[in-house]
C-alpha cells in the first residue's frame, strides 16, 4: 500500500479528541543534518493519552505528505516521531466505535490508518520512533512503521492489547511485528499477553524482545535518541535486520501453538485471536499491500461483531464508571485518614499493610496475638519493600520511608489516634465482633472500623457496638496488590461520612470501588459461588471435569478447579456453605470439596513433571453418584450460564448491585472475567440465556452489542 494510494476519508467522530502532529526541526549532532521531529500531542496531560481517530489520521497523513516533499527537496535528512511527556500513543480512539453502524465505515477507518502509517514507511529518508512513554495498539504500530526505534527504560507499558478487547492489531501489527521479531516472539505480544489478563511489557522487556533497537534512561531520553539517530544517519551505527521469514516450519509451529493457547483461553468463542493468528501466518509470504488489505477486512468484520462491542463496554466500565462509583455519597463528607490500624498480621493483613503504606504514605500499625506473628507480618512488608528496591522501582530513601511507616504490636493501644482501622482476622462472626469491641474501646468516636470480610453481614458485625454507624465492609481480593476491585458495603446503620471516607480511602489506594448491598458474599463471591457450585454439582453428578471445563472455557481466566486451588479449598468451601445457609439449595457445597478440605489438600490439581494433573488422592475422594448423569459440552454450558443468569436477576431485584454494569465491573476487576464477554451479562444476552431464563435481556440492544 503506497502512500500515493487514494481512498475514501474515514467518517469523523464528534467525540474525537484530535492528537496533533506537531513538527519542529532539530539539528542533529555531528553534522548529520536536520531531523524533522513529529510530536504527537492531544493538548492534554498524561491522564488523557494520545489516540488515533479519523481526524487525527487525516492530519497525520497531511503532515507526512509535507515531510515527503521536504525530504525530496533535500531539506531534511531524517524524520523522528515521539509523544508528549509520559505518553507515546495508546492506539485507536475507540470512543466513536458505537456510532459505526456499517462495515464500510469500519473498513474506511482501517484503510486510513494503513495509508498514514504506510506513508511513513515510504518516506525517502530514515525514520525513527522515539518511544518515550506508554505505547499500545496503534502507538506500537506507528513505531513499527519507522525504520528504527528507541525506547525509554521508564516506559511502563508496551502492548498490542487488541485481542483482549475483541480486535486484531490492524494497522500493520500482524504483518510488521512477526517480520521484525519472528512469529514466536510476535505471537507472545499479539496473542499470549492479551489473553493472559492483558499483560503489558515494560520498556526494558520490549527492548529485550527486539521491538526497539536502543534503550536510554528517561531523564535524557530524547537527547540520547537524537544522538543515536545522528549516528545511524551518518553511518556510524548500522542495524541489521535478519530475514525472519525463511523458516516456514518454525513460523507455522508458532501459529499452531498460539491457536492452542487461544482454544484454552477462549474455547473458540472469540473470533479475534484466530483472525490475528491467520494474519500472522499469512504475513510470512504476503506482500505489504495484501497483508494490509487483509487487516482492513479483519477490522471491518470484527468492528461489526458483538465481541468487540462487549469489549468496549467493558473498557468503558473500567475507564469511566469505575472512576465515579454509582451510589457513593458526596466526596466532601469524607474525613482525612492520617493513620491506619490493621488487626491481624497474617498474609492478607500484611498485604494490606504494604498497600496502605505505599499508596497513602501514612503510618500503619499492625497487631496480632503474639510477638512472633507481629514480627512475621512486619517482616513481610519489609521484604516486599526490599524487593521493590532490588528491582529499581524505588530508591533507598523511599525504601527507608516505607519501612518506617509500618510498625507492629501485640497491643491495640497504638490505634488510639488512628482514623481508619481494618480487621483481617479469621472469617468467623464472633471473632470479628470481639475484635471490633476491643478496637472501639481504644479509638476515637470518628475512627472508621472496616472489615475485610468476604461474606459476613456488616450489620450483624456492628450490632453490638456503641457506634455501629462507623462500621463498613471493605472487601479486597487476593492478591491485594494485583486485583483492582474493592467492594464497599454499608451496614444498615453506616452513616454517609463513614461511607464517603471508605470510598475516598479506596480511591487513594487506587482501587476500583463498587457500592454493594449488605448481602451474603456481596457481588463477586456470590456470583462466583453460584458458578462454581453449579459446575461442582455437574461434576459430582457424573460429568467428567474435562467436559465441564470445555463448556465454561472463556468465562473465567482459568478453569474452575484451577481457580479453586488459587483461592484455596477452605475459603471456597466457606463461601459455598455461607451461601447455602443464606439462600438454600440453589447454591451447592460439594461433598468432594468438603473431603478435600478435611484432608488439607491444597487443590484439585498437583504438579507432575512440570504439568498440572489431577491429584490421584483427590480423585479418590470424589463423590461417586449412584446414578451418574453425563452431560455434553453444550448441556453443561447452558446449565451453568442459566444458573448465573438466574442469580444475576435475583441480585438486581434485591438491589445488591446498583445496576447490571456494576456486576460486570465487579466480575472483570475482582474475578478476571473476559473483556470480550463484557464481563458476563453481555454474554448472557448474546447467547440468548437471559431471554430464556428471565424473559428479557439485561442490557438494551446496542449497549454491549452491535446496534440493530
Amino acid at each position: 500500500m503506497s502512500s500515493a494510494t487514494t481512498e475514501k476519508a474515514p467518517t469523523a467522530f464528534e467525540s474525537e479528541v484530535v492528537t496533533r502532529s506537531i513538527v519542529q526541526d532539530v539539528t542533529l549532532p555531528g553534522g548529520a543534518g536536520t531531523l524533522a521531529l513529529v510530536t504527537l500531542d492531544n493538548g492534554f496531560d498524561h491522564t488523557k493519552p494520545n489516540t488515533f481517530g479519523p481526524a487525527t489520521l487525516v492530519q497525520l497523513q497531511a503532515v507526512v505528505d509535507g515531510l515527503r516533499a521536504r525530504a525530496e527537496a533535500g531539506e531534511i535528512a531524517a524524520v523522528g516521531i515521539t509523544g508528549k511527556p509520559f505518553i507515546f500513543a495508546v492506539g485507536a480512539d475507540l470512543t466513536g466505535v458505537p456510532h459505526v453502524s456499517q462495515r464500510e465505515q469500519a473498513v474506511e477507518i482501517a484503510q486510513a490508518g494503513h495509508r498514514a502509517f504506510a506513508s511513513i514507511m515510504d518516506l525517502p529518508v530514515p525514520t525513527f520512533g522515539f518511544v518515550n512513554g506508554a505505547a499500545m495498539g496503534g502507538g506500537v504500530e506507528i513505531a513499527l512503521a519507522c525504520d528504527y526505534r528507541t525506547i525509554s527504560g521508564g516506559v511502563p507499558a508496551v502492548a498490542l492489547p487488541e485481542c483482549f478487547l475483541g480486535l486484531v492489531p490492524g494497522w500493520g501489527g500482524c504483518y510488521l511485528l512477526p517480520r521484525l521479531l519472528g512469529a514466536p516472539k510476535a505471537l507472545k505480544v499479539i496473542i499470549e499477553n492479551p489473553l493472559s489478563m492483558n499483560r503489558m511489557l515494560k520498556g526494558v522487556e520490549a527492548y529485550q524482545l527486539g521491538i526497539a533497537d536502543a534503550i536510554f534512561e528517561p531523564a535524557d531520553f530524547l537527547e540520547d535518541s537524537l544522538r543515536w539517530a545522528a549516528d545511524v544517519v551518518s553511518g556510524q551505527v548500522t542495524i541489521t535486520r535478519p530475514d525472519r521469514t525463511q523458516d516456514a516450519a518454525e513460523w507455522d509451529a508458532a501459529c499452531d501453538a498460539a491457536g492452542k493457547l487461544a482454544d484454552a483461553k477462549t474455547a473458540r468463542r472469540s473470533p479475534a485471536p484466530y483472525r490475528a493468528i491467520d494474519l500472522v501466518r499469512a504475513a510470512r509470504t504476503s506482500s505489504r499491500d495484501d497483508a494490509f488489505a487483509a487487516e482492513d477486512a479483519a477490522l471491518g468484520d470484527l468492528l461489526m461483531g458483538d465481541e468487540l462491542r462487549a469489549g468496549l463496554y467493558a473498557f468503558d466500565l473500567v475507564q469511566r464508571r469505575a472512576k465515579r462509583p454509582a451510589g457513593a455519597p458526596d466526596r466532601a463528607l469524607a474525613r482525612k485518614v492520617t493513620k491506619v490500624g490493621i488487626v491481624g498480621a497474617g498474609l492478607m493483613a500484611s498485604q494490606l499493610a504494604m498497600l496502605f503504606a505505599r499508596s497513602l504514605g501514612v503510618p500503619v500499625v499492625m497487631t496480632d496475638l503474639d510477638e512472633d506473628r507481629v514480627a512475621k507480618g512486619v517482616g513481610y512488608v519489609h521484604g516486599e519493600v526490599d524487593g521493590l528496591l532490588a528491582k529499581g522501582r524505588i530508591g533507598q530513601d523511599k525504601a527507608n520511608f516505607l519501612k518506617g511507616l509500618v510498625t507492629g504490636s501485640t497491643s491495640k493501644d497504638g490505634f488510639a489516634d488512628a482514623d481508619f482501622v481494618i480487621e483481617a482476622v479469621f472469617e468467623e462472626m464472633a471473632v470479628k465482633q470481639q475484635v471490633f469491641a476491643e478496637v472501639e474501646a481504644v479509638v476515637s468516636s470518628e475512627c472508621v472500623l472496616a472489615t475485610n470480610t468476604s461474606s459476613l453481614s456488616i450489620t450483624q458485625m456492628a450490632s453490638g457496638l456503641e457506634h455501629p454507624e462507623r462500621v463498613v465492609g471493605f472487601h479486597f481480593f487476593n492478591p491485594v496488590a494485583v486485583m483492582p476491585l474493592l467492594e464497599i458495603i454499608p451496614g444498615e446503620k453506616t452513616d454517609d461520612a463513614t461511607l464517603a471516607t471508605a470510598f475516598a480511602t479506596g480511591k487513594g489506594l487506587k482501587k476500583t470501588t463498587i457500592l454493594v448491598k449488605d448481602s451474603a458474599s456481596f457481588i463477586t463471591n456470590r456470583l462466583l459461588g453460584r458458578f462454581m457450585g453449579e459446575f461442582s454439582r455437574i461434576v459430582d453428578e457424573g460429568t467428567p471435569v474435562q467436559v465441564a471445563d470445555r463448556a465454561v472455557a472463556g468465562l473465567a481466566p482459568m478453569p474452575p478447579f484451577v481457580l479453586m486451588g488459587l483461592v484455596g479449598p477452605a475459603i471456597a468451601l466457606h463461601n459455598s456453605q455461607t451461601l447455602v445457609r443464606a439462600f438454600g439449595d440453589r447454591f451447592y457445597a460439594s461433598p468432594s470439596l468438603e473431603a478435600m478440605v478435611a484432608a488439607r489438600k491444597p487443590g484439585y490439581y498437583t504438579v507432575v513433571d512440570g504439568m498440572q494433573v489431577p491429584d490421584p488422592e483427590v480423585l479418590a475422594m470424589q463423590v461417586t453418584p449412584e446414578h451418574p448423569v453425563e452431560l455434553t459440552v453444550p448441556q453443561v454450558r447452558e446449565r451453568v450460564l442459566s444458573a448465573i443468569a438466574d442469580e444475576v436477576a435475583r441480585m438486581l431485584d434485591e438491589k445488591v448491585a446498583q445496576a447490571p454494569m456494576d456486576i460486570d465491573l465487579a466480575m472483570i476487576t475482582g474475578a478476571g472475567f473476559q473483556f470480550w464477554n463484557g464481563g458476563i451479562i453481555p454474554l448472557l444476552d448474546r447467547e440468548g440465556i437471559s431471554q430464556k431464563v428471565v424473559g428479557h435481556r439485561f442490557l438494551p440492544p446496542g449497549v454491549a452489542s452491535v446496534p440493530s
Side-chain angles (χ1 to χ4, degrees):
M1 183 181 297
S2 70
S3 57
T5 303
T6 57
E7 300 281 354
K8 184 177 178 182
T11 305
F13 298 158
E14 288 184 15
S15 60
E16 180 180 354
V17 175
V18 176
T19 297
R20 297 166 297 154
S21 298
I22 304 166
V23 183
Q24 65 179 114
D25 286 356
V26 177
T27 301
L28 292 173
T34 299
L35 177 142
L37 182 64
V38 179
T39 301
L40 304 171
D41 191 344
N42 62 6
F44 292 85
D45 67 16
H46 67 280
T47 60
K48 197 174 189 68
N50 298 324
T51 54
F52 298 104
T56 297
L57 292 172
V58 169
Q59 202 238 1
L60 173 64
Q61 179 76 66
V63 167
V64 176
D65 288 346
L67 293 175
R68 165 177 283 278
R70 293 187 65 200
E72 290 173 343
E75 296 177 13
I76 54 176
V79 171
I81 300 175
T82 193
K84 66 184 183 181
F86 309 111
I87 298 290
F88 187 66
V90 298
D93 180 354
L94 299 174
T95 61
V97 172
H99 304 294
V100 176
S101 57
Q102 297 177 344
R103 185 177 183 278
E104 180 186 7
Q105 293 173 280
V107 172
E108 287 170 4
I109 295 168
Q111 291 173 336
H114 275 134
R115 276 199 309 278
F117 291 4
S119 65
I120 295 169
M121 298 174 71
D122 293 334
L123 284 170
V125 293
T127 53
F128 298 84
F130 301 140
V131 183
N132 65 304
M136 300 174 205
V140 173
E141 288 169 309
I142 196 172
L144 291 173
C146 297
D147 299 319
Y148 308 97
R149 285 155 297 282
T150 66
I151 195 164
S152 166
V155 169
V158 176
L160 290 174
E162 286 84 355
C163 288
F164 179 67
L165 291 172
L167 272 179
V168 299
W171 283 340
C174 288
Y175 179 71
L176 297 173
L177 192 63
R179 293 173 77 91
L180 175 69
L181 303 182
K185 289 182 178 179
L187 287 165
K188 177 182 177 67
V189 181
I190 295 170
I191 301 295
E192 182 182 339
N193 286 354
L195 296 186
S196 300
M197 297 184 74
N198 201 26
R199 182 181 180 272
M200 306 275 172
L201 298 171
K202 303 288 187 185
V204 173
E205 294 173 307
Y207 168 69
Q208 291 170 342
L209 203 61
I211 292 174
D213 300 304
I215 185 167
F216 300 113
E217 289 299 314
D220 301 309
F221 171 70
L222 187 56
E223 293 84 349
D224 289 342
S225 292
L226 290 169
R227 276 192 290 271
W228 184 84
D231 289 343
V232 172
V233 171
S234 65
Q236 295 180 54
V237 169
T238 302
I239 300 296
T240 57
R241 304 271 186 229
D243 185 349
R244 305 289 189 183
T245 65
Q246 295 303 302
D247 193 337
E250 179 190 64
W251 197 286
D252 285 339
C255 291
D256 292 344
K260 289 177 182 176
L261 175 68
D263 288 347
K265 296 287 189 180
T266 75
R268 304 194 75 83
R269 293 183 181 276
S270 173
Y274 301 98
R275 291 298 291 267
I277 293 166
D278 288 344
L279 290 167
V280 170
R281 194 183 295 273
R284 189 180 73 82
T285 56
S286 291
S287 67
R288 189 182 82 183
D289 286 6
D290 288 345
F292 284 10
E295 289 182 355
D296 291 339
L299 283 181
D301 293 340
L302 293 169
L303 279 166
M304 299 308 297
D306 283 341
E307 290 81 7
L308 181 273
R309 302 306 173 105
L312 296 181
Y313 158 84
F315 185 75
D316 186 72
L317 294 181
V318 170
Q319 294 296 314
R320 291 182 175 80
R321 188 175 183 89
K323 291 179 171 59
R324 299 175 183 81
D330 187 346
R331 297 175 187 174
L333 296 173
R335 293 192 283 263
K336 192 173 180 61
V337 173
T338 61
K339 183 178 180 179
V340 172
I342 299 178
V343 184
L347 180 58
M348 176 58 79
S350 300
Q351 291 182 75
L352 293 178
M354 180 66 183
L355 177 69
F356 277 93
R358 192 176 183 203
S359 299
L360 301 186
V362 300
V364 177
V365 180
M366 304 174 72
T367 68
D368 215 314
L369 298 175
D370 56 58
E371 293 288 356
D372 286 345
R373 295 182 191 185
V374 171
K376 187 175 180 181
V378 174
Y380 172 92
V381 176
H382 287 192
E384 291 292 296
V385 171
D386 287 338
L388 293 174
L389 178 63
K391 293 174 184 175
R393 294 173 63 180
I394 59 174
Q396 187 64 59
D397 288 346
K398 182 74 170 180
N400 294 341
F401 172 70
L402 290 175
K403 287 182 179 181
L405 288 178
V406 180
T407 57
S409 172
T410 56
S411 166
K412 295 182 177 63
D413 292 346
F415 294 166
D417 56 345
D419 309 294
F420 192 100
V421 174
I422 183 168
E423 67 76 22
V425 299
F426 187 68
E427 189 75 346
E428 184 67 46
M429 180 61 75
V431 175
K432 292 180 184 288
Q433 287 176 322
Q434 179 184 341
V435 161
F436 274 159
E438 293 171 356
V439 172
E440 188 174 49
V442 175
V443 299
S444 71
S445 60
E446 291 191 339
C447 177
V448 171
L449 303 186
T451 170
N452 186 45
T453 180
S454 60
S455 59
L456 301 178
S457 167
I458 311 303
T459 300
Q460 185 181 348
M461 204 177 296
S463 60
L465 296 178
E466 185 178 346
H467 294 288
E469 70 278 1
R470 45 113 151 256
V471 178
V472 65
F474 214 61
H475 179 216
F476 290 91
F477 291 77
N478 202 19
V480 169
V482 176
M483 300 306 291
L485 181 61
L486 175 58
E487 292 179 329
I488 295 183
I489 311 104
E492 286 180 6
K493 295 187 177 180
T494 305
D495 62 25
D496 282 350
T498 296
L499 198 55
T501 304
F503 273 100
T505 303
K507 183 178 181 182
L509 297 173
K510 301 179 177 60
K511 293 297 180 183
T512 296
T513 52
I514 298 177
L515 180 66
V516 184
K517 182 181 177 181
D518 188 12
S519 174
S521 293
F522 317 128
I523 292 178
T524 311
N525 283 350
R526 176 168 167 181
L527 205 55
L528 274 179
R530 187 73 190 272
F531 166 42
M532 300 280 282
E534 197 64 26
F535 182 93
S536 297
R537 195 192 320 249
I538 289 167
V539 171
D540 285 353
E541 288 172 353
T543 299
V545 172
Q546 296 84 351
V547 173
D549 277 347
R550 289 202 300 274
V552 300
L555 294 186
M558 61 194 73
F561 284 178
V562 176
L563 180 62
M564 179 184 68
L566 186 67
V567 171
I571 294 174
L573 178 62
H574 176 82
N575 189 51
S576 299
Q577 292 171 334
T578 298
L579 289 163
V580 170
R581 286 195 298 271
F583 302 116
D585 63 5
R586 74 173 187 271
F587 286 90
Y588 180 68
S590 168
S592 299
L593 179 57
E594 291 176 2
M596 196 185 309
V597 172
R600 298 183 179 275
K601 285 291 182 180
Y604 179 85
Y605 295 97
T606 188
V607 176
V608 177
D609 296 330
M611 301 286 291
Q612 267 199 337
V613 297
D615 184 333
E617 294 181 11
V618 171
L619 290 178
M621 301 172 191
Q622 296 295 291
V623 169
T624 303
E626 186 176 347
H627 303 289
V629 177
E630 186 169 337
L631 302 181
T632 64
V633 166
Q635 288 172 329
V636 174
R637 186 173 182 84
E638 180 168 351
R639 189 165 139 185
V640 169
L641 290 180
S642 295
I644 293 173
D646 174 69
E647 203 59 36
V648 166
R650 292 171 185 268
M651 291 165 72
L652 292 172
D653 288 346
E654 296 166 18
K655 301 194 184 312
V656 174
Q658 300 288 301
M661 291 79 76
D662 287 324
I663 292 179
D664 284 322
L665 182 57
M667 298 312 289
I668 291 165
T669 59
F673 274 42
Q674 311 292 350
F675 263 55
W676 48 265
N677 283 333
I680 188 62
I681 289 173
L683 174 70
L684 299 174
D685 288 346
R686 184 163 76 233
E687 296 198 12
I689 300 293
S690 310
Q691 186 71 42
K692 190 176 295 185
V693 174
V694 299
H696 58 80
R697 296 171 61 98
F698 289 112
L699 296 169
V703 171
S705 57
V706 177
S708 56

